[in-house]
């Protein structure tokens, strides 16, 4: 069931479009498709039967195992429990954490060194005084009394109390700044930190995909963007701006897109495809008593599809799925890189003018003969831009009609998708048509996992204090660089970046975001791939 937690490590024996969110275990928010088929462990062919049980594939390749603590995002399935408690992958991580030896803080190390130094010096001084008294003929009892008195006086009894009071005052100051620590020495350890390495997904970012940028080929000179972050449908709207539309200060002026603007016809077709070709759901309850999800909404589905539904709501496009009956669905696969849904209107009327014109249109593709649409059904397609745009023969015009898609227009759309991807956005293309051979390109939608509130200010304060901030992520280099710039981890201090594969500091490389909010500032910084990190010697 969607949004159910997996209670134990399970071997999947039957599943239908089952996807899991394993971000709590692996740190990545991309849903993982699970299947019931067996997997081949690399190197198991040459292994002996006695050692086969010791061969364990990496977690990311175990596509037939549902791990404890992960979340079901879509689909359904049945599974057999194979591990519980400490024997699960989460349990092994917890067990390893318990076995980690507690390290002393820098203050504790300094106090230990001070104690050893005082003990050594005082012992030498007391021995010298005792020998001196013995040589001077002092009574033995008097000499021992003086030596013991000096030993007691050399011990700083008030030092632990002073240290404890100082650390307690530090804890009190941190509590006033909404930072709570369980152990007093941690306060001093935080003050000694010079490098902070933070995970990206769920730590620096909100782990909620958000539609940020929209592109329609019918308006190539306009920039469309969606304000607001997260899954709150009421926090944000669709805005547009042009390259030359700037105010006196040089900043772009933004205008909200509504049902009365000329761009709404193309935008409604774009988000109509994104909604019909979608298996997620967002329910806004009428009262607070029925609210289950964040911000009074009940949500279920993959983060990418949720972002598309929220984007449609912000653009003022009603969810058209109640008006359609789904006839056929071809789910997204890594080979085809797209999802296809065939649906027909229940009442005979489509949700927008573009769909109505497409249903009346006969097949215009030169690859097949003309075939008329009988039941008014349409194909709705979403997927990778290179895959979807290559299959389109027309694109949606401003009035909703289909215009011939030339090579120039195709190149312009692909170029825009690359710009959006270089800005750290996950880009999907939308298309529709009476058949898969007569698809109309509707547009592009760029999504991202936005930073948490206060992350940018915190990173900037750390950098001003001389603390280096590192981001750990499994994303591609371009995406990681864009997110690091967004969080102010790189850029702004004049660093330079020089790599054999990408040169951000070059004047020729300025991938412009299609987001009119201009929230992806390109700077310069340093990024290392996994192979480069593995090549670093341990002594460095």
């Amino acid at each position: 069931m969607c949004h159910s937690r997996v209670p134990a490590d399970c071997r999947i024996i039957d599943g239908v479009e089952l996807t899991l969110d394993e971000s709590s275990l692996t740190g990545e928010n991309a849903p993982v498709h699970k299947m019931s088929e067996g997997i081949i462990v690399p190197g198991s062919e040459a292994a002996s039967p006695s050692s086969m049980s010791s061969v364990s594939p990496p977690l990311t390749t175990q596509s037939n195992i549902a791990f404890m603590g992960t979340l079901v995002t879509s689909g359904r399935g049945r599974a057999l429990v194979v591990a519980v408690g400490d024997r699960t992958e989460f349990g092994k991580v917890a067990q390893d954490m318990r076995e980690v030896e507690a390290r002393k803080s820098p203050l504790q190390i300094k106090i230990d060194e001070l104690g050893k130094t005082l003990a050594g010096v005082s012992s030498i001084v007391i021995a010298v005084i005792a020998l001196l008294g013995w040589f001077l003929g002092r009574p033995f009892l008097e000499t021992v009394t003086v030596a013991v008195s000096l030993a007691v006086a050399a011990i700083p009894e008030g030092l632990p109390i002073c240290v404890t009071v100082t650390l307690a005052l530090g804890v009190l100051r941190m509590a006033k700044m909404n930072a709570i620590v369980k152990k007093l020495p941690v306060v001093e350890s935080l003050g000694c930190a010079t490098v902070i390495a933070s995970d990206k997904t769920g730590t620096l970012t909100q782990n909620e995909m958000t539609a940020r940028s929209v592109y329609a080929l019918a308006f190539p000179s306009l920039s469309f963007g969606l304000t607001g972050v997260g899954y709150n449908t009421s926090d944000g709207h669709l805005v547009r701006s042009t390259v030359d539309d700037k105010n006196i200060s040089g900043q772009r002026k933004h205008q909200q897109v509504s049902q009365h603007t000329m761009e709404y016809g193309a935008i409604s077709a774009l988000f109509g495809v994104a909604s019909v070709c979608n298996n997620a759901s967002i329910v806004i309850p009428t009262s607070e008593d029925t609210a289950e999800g964040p911000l009074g909404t009940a949500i279920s589905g993959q983060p990418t599809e949720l972002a598309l539904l929220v984007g449609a709501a912000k653009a003022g496009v009603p969810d058209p799925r109640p008006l359609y009956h789904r006839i056929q669905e071809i789910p997204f696969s890594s080979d085809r890189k797209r999802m296809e849904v065939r649906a027909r209107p229940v009442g005979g009327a489509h949700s927008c003018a573009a769909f109505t014109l497409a249903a009346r249109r006969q097949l215009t593709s030169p690859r097949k003969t003309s075939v008329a649409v009988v039941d008014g059904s349409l194909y709705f397609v979403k997927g990778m831009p290179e895959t979807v745009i290559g299959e389109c023969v027309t694109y949606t015009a401003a009035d909703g009609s289909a215009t011939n898609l030339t090579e120039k227009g195709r190149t312009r759309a692909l170029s825009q998708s690359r710009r959006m991807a270089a800005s750290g956005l996950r880009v999907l293309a939308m298309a529709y048509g009476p058949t898969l051979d007569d698809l109309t390109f509707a547009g592009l939608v760029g999504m991202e996992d936005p930073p948490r509130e206060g992350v940018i200010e915190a990173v900037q304060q750390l950098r001003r204090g001389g603390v280096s901030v590192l981001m750990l992520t499994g994303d591609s280099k371009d995406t990681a660089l864009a997110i690091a710039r967004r969080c102010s981890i790189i850029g702004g201090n004049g660093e330079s970046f020089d790599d054999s594969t990408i040169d951000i500091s070059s004047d020729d490389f300025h991938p412009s975001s299609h987001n009119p909010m201009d929230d992806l500032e390109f700077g310069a910084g340093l990024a290392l791939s996994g192979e480069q990190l593995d090549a670093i010697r341990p002594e460095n």
Side-chain angles (χ1 to χ4, degrees):
M1 182 180 294
C2 290
H3 273 257
S4 298
R5 290 283 179 184
V6 180
D9 285 1
C10 305
R11 169 63 165 89
I12 300 174
I13 59 176
D14 183 21
V16 178
E17 298 303 320
L18 180 61
T19 58
L20 272 66
D21 179 8
E22 296 182 350
S23 59
S24 57
L25 181 62
T26 62
E28 298 303 323
N29 61 352
V32 180
H33 179 71
K34 295 296 182 177
M35 60 182 182
S36 59
E37 291 78 6
I39 59 175
I40 299 177
V41 180
S44 60
E45 297 83 355
S48 60
S50 59
S51 62
M52 284 292 292
S53 59
S54 62
V55 179
S56 179
L59 296 182
T60 54
T61 62
Q62 298 183 27
S63 57
N64 54 5
I65 300 294
F67 300 105
M68 184 187 73
T70 57
L71 185 67
V72 179
T73 57
S74 65
R76 58 181 177 84
R78 295 183 300 168
L80 295 176
V81 176
V82 296
V84 295
D86 290 341
R87 296 187 176 183
T88 62
E89 296 299 330
F90 259 109
K92 293 177 182 178
V93 173
Q95 190 173 6
D96 292 339
M97 295 293 292
R98 289 194 296 266
E99 295 176 356
V100 174
E101 182 180 357
R103 299 177 58 184
K104 293 184 178 180
S105 67
L107 180 61
Q108 291 174 323
I109 296 175
K110 292 295 183 181
I111 292 178
D112 291 343
E113 293 177 354
L114 177 62
K116 293 178 182 179
T117 302
L118 289 176
V121 173
S122 61
S123 299
I124 294 174
V125 173
I126 292 170
V128 171
I129 293 176
L131 291 175
L132 183 61
W134 183 71
F135 281 120
L136 294 176
R138 298 287 184 181
F140 177 75
L141 182 61
E142 180 182 351
T143 303
V144 173
T145 303
V146 172
V148 172
S149 300
L150 291 175
V152 173
I155 299 175
E157 297 92 345
L159 181 60
I161 299 176
C162 294
V163 172
T164 303
V165 172
T166 303
L167 294 179
L169 292 176
V171 171
L172 182 61
R173 291 179 59 188
M174 294 185 65
K176 293 180 179 179
M177 301 177 66
N178 299 326
I180 300 176
V181 295
K182 296 189 298 182
K183 299 180 180 180
L184 290 179
V186 176
V187 178
E188 192 270 341
S189 300
L190 291 175
C192 298
T194 57
V195 178
I196 295 179
S198 174
D199 182 39
K200 176 185 74 70
T201 306
T203 304
L204 294 175
T205 61
Q206 298 185 12
N207 199 15
E208 291 182 355
M209 293 297 295
T210 303
R212 302 292 286 172
S213 180
V214 179
Y215 176 77
L217 194 57
F219 305 97
S221 61
L222 294 181
S223 294
F224 296 93
L226 292 160
T227 61
V229 296
Y231 297 147
N232 187 1
T233 57
S234 59
D235 182 17
H237 50 266
L238 181 67
V239 296
R240 65 175 175 87
S241 66
T242 61
V243 177
D244 299 328
D245 188 12
K246 297 183 179 180
N247 54 24
I248 300 177
S249 61
Q251 298 179 348
R252 289 183 178 180
K253 295 185 296 183
H254 312 295
Q255 298 179 356
Q256 183 174 350
V257 178
S258 64
Q259 297 181 0
H260 305 290
T261 57
M262 63 176 182
E263 303 88 4
Y264 185 78
I267 295 298
S268 62
L270 171 60
F271 281 107
V273 176
S275 299
V276 176
C277 193
N278 199 310
N279 290 323
S281 63
I282 297 179
V283 180
I284 304 177
T286 56
S287 63
E288 296 183 356
D289 298 335
T290 58
E292 299 178 1
L295 302 173
T297 59
I299 61 175
S300 65
Q302 299 181 5
T304 301
E305 294 188 336
L306 287 171
L308 293 175
L309 291 182
V310 174
K314 292 178 180 179
V317 179
D319 191 349
R321 288 180 294 182
L323 305 178
Y324 287 88
H325 171 68
R326 184 173 293 190
I327 302 174
Q328 181 184 8
E329 175 184 350
I330 303 177
F332 180 90
S333 65
S334 57
D335 297 332
R336 303 177 66 255
K337 293 182 173 55
R338 65 180 187 178
M339 174 183 178
E340 301 165 359
V341 169
R342 184 188 176 194
R344 62 176 177 84
V346 177
H350 286 275
S351 60
C352 66
F355 296 164
T356 302
L357 295 175
R360 297 173 181 174
R361 186 178 72 241
Q362 292 186 341
L363 187 63
T364 59
S365 174
R367 286 174 283 188
K368 288 189 177 181
T369 58
S370 298
V371 178
V373 178
V374 179
D375 57 354
S377 62
L378 291 177
Y379 282 90
F380 301 90
V381 182
K382 72 174 181 182
M384 300 296 292
E386 294 78 6
T387 304
V388 175
I389 297 176
E391 298 294 329
C392 295
V393 295
T394 56
Y395 70 92
T396 306
D399 58 353
S401 61
T403 304
N404 186 35
L405 181 60
T406 62
E407 287 299 325
K408 182 178 179 180
R410 199 186 310 273
T411 302
R412 176 179 294 176
L414 291 174
S415 178
Q416 181 59 41
S417 70
R418 285 190 289 268
R419 292 194 188 97
M420 296 166 68
S423 300
L425 302 180
R426 182 179 299 176
V427 187
L428 289 179
M430 310 295 165
Y432 61 94
T435 68
L436 295 178
D437 293 304
D438 189 16
L439 292 178
T440 300
F441 174 61
L444 302 171
V445 178
M447 294 158 285
E448 68 171 353
D449 188 5
R452 287 185 178 274
E453 184 178 357
V455 166
I456 299 176
E457 292 78 6
V459 171
Q460 291 175 348
Q461 291 179 3
L462 288 172
R463 297 184 66 183
R464 286 195 296 266
V467 179
S468 300
V469 182
L470 306 179
M471 183 182 71
L472 308 178
T473 178
D475 292 335
S476 63
K477 180 177 291 188
D478 291 349
T479 303
L481 285 172
I483 297 174
R485 296 187 199 99
R486 178 82 185 277
C487 296
S488 296
I489 294 178
I490 61 175
N493 286 345
E495 302 105 330
S496 62
F497 177 80
D498 187 10
D499 189 82
S500 59
T501 59
I502 181 173
D503 185 12
I504 300 298
S505 61
S506 173
D507 295 335
D508 298 329
F509 184 83
H510 290 289
S512 58
S513 171
H514 206 67
N515 185 1
M517 308 311 295
D518 292 332
D519 54 335
L520 295 178
E521 299 294 337
F522 285 87
L526 177 63
L528 297 178
S529 63
E531 296 179 355
Q532 292 170 326
L533 289 174
D534 294 337
I536 299 177
R537 296 181 179 180
E539 58 267 21
N540 293 333

